[in-house]
């Protein structure tokens, strides 16, 4: 069902890879709600994914960009404003990568050059995106910027590895830059802490099926799906949340506030 929440709004969506991506679902929902946008991803990710199918479905243009490259980001934002016909109302940062996770390195045996690469892609890129938007005065007043995160930024999930540190840094950037973007430009900056979701990227984490199963048993409402996250993101892009900023917002079925559930107790007290 569409409510026309984003009618006339324009934006940029980072990170759509395939139908499993939260960014992909968000793009579909933004389109349904009347928003227009440019799609972007790193050139290597675009070769692996199906972003052209999404662009056709939503009538969007694609601009390849490495989110760690200031030059690429400047080009992306300039061209996006040309294509969209003005300043930007919303941005989704749905980017995350850990070479250590991909290569199976344990947290106590990290390769630091890999760690630095993942930190740049997963967290510092968010600062680079916002700094470029800020310096180019590319955001409309009451615009909204959202990044996706995970609760491992607050609590220990051993196999989440250095991605947990990346997400903690990402959330700190949202608070710090959110202050200046709000004060100077009246732009909102928030993160959504999503349930473990079976995206292509998420499934690269060791024991990911266990993450999902455990969270499902712990969450009173069950795990939030990629579509649930897309819907939540739409509300943050809309004018209904104009005073919500610098927040880490949990979209996890209540997992983050549940100490233990009856299902988990029963699982560990089975005879």
């Amino acid at each position: 069902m569409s409510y026309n929440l984003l009618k006339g709004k324009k934006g940029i969506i980072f990170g759509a890879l395939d139908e499993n991506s939260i960014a992909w679902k968000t793009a579909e929902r933004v389109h349904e709600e009347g928003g227009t946008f440019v799609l972007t991803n790193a050139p290597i990710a675009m070769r692996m994914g199906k972003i052209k199918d999404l662009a056709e479905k939503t009538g969007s243009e694609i601009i390849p960009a490495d989110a760690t490259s200031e030059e690429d980001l400047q080009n992306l934002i300039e061209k996006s404003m040309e294509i969209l016909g003005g300043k930007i109302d919303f941005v989704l940062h749905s980017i995350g990568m850990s070479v250590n996770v991909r290569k199976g390195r344990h947290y106590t045996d990290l390769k630091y050059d890999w760690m630095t690469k993942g930190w740049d892609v997963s967290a510092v890129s968010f600062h680079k995106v916002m700094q470029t938007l800020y310096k180019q005065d590319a955001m409309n007043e009451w615009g909204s910027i959202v990044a996706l995160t995970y609760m491992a930024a607050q609590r220990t999930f051993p196999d989440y590895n250095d991605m947990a540190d990346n997400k903690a840094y990402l959330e700190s950037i949202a608070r710090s830059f959110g202050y200046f973007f709000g004060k100077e430009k009246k732009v909102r900056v928030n993160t959504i802490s999503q349930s473990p979701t079976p995206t292509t990227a998420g499934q690269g984490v060791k024991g990911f099926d266990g993450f999902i199963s455990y969270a499902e048993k712990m969450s009173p409402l069950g795990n939030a799906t990629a579509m649930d996250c897309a819907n939540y993101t739409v509300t943050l892009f809309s004018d209904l949340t104009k005073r919500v900023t610098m927040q880490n917002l949990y979209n996890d079925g209540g997992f983050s506030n549940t100490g233990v559930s009856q299902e988990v107790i029963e699982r560990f007290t089975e005879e």
Side-chain angles (χ1 to χ4, degrees), residues 240-252:
L240 299 177
T241 51
K242 286 175 72 171
R243 292 301 196 292
V244 179
T245 194
M246 300 163 60
Q247 303 298 312
N248 182 44
L249 302 161
Y250 291 97
N251 186 49
D252 63 2

Side-chain angles (χ1 to χ4, degrees), residues 15-46:
L17 184 67
D18 57 33
E19 297 92 336
N20 297 318
S21 305
I22 293 172
W24 185 292
K25 301 292 187 190
T26 302
E28 291 179 331
R29 285 294 293 118
V30 168
H31 178 64
E32 289 170 2
E33 293 295 338
T36 56
F37 47 86
V38 165
L39 294 165
T40 184
N41 211 330
I44 188 169
M46 290 178 61

Side-chain angles (χ1 to χ4, degrees), residues 9 87-89 139-143 184-187:
K9 293 192 180 295
K87 290 188 180 184
I88 293 161
D89 299 293
M139 296 291 295
N140 278 319
E141 284 195 355
W142 304 111
E184 306 298 331
K185 311 284 188 180
K186 287 190 167 57
V187 170

Side-chain angles (χ1 to χ4, degrees), residues 41-48 64-66 72:
N41 211 330
I44 188 169
M46 290 178 61
R47 290 195 295 272
M48 293 166 54
D66 176 353
D72 278 14

Side-chain angles (χ1 to χ4, degrees), residues 1-7 24-37 57-58 227 230-231 234:
M1 180 182 290
S2 173
Y3 304 92
N4 282 324
L5 288 176
L6 303 179
K7 186 176 182 181
W24 185 292
K25 301 292 187 190
T26 302
E28 291 179 331
R29 285 294 293 118
V30 168
H31 178 64
E32 289 170 2
E33 293 295 338
T36 56
F37 47 86
K57 182 176 182 180
T58 60
M227 185 57 78
N231 286 326
V234 164

Side-chain angles (χ1 to χ4, degrees), residues 111-166:
K111 287 193 67 171
Y112 291 118
D113 55 339
W114 291 354
M115 185 182 189
T116 302
K117 176 65 175 176
W119 173 71
D120 195 18
V121 171
S122 305
V124 181
S125 67
F126 190 41
H127 192 285
K128 291 177 180 177
V129 168
M130 289 196 286
Q131 182 166 290
T132 308
L133 290 164
Y134 187 89
K135 286 185 173 181
Q136 293 191 12
D137 194 25
M139 296 291 295
N140 278 319
E141 284 195 355
W142 304 111
S144 176
I145 302 170
V146 173
L148 301 183
T149 186
Y150 181 54
M151 201 180 146
Q154 285 82 33
R155 298 186 190 173
T156 302
F157 292 80
D159 290 328
Y160 205 63
N161 211 308
D162 57 344
M163 274 302 298
D165 304 327
N166 296 338

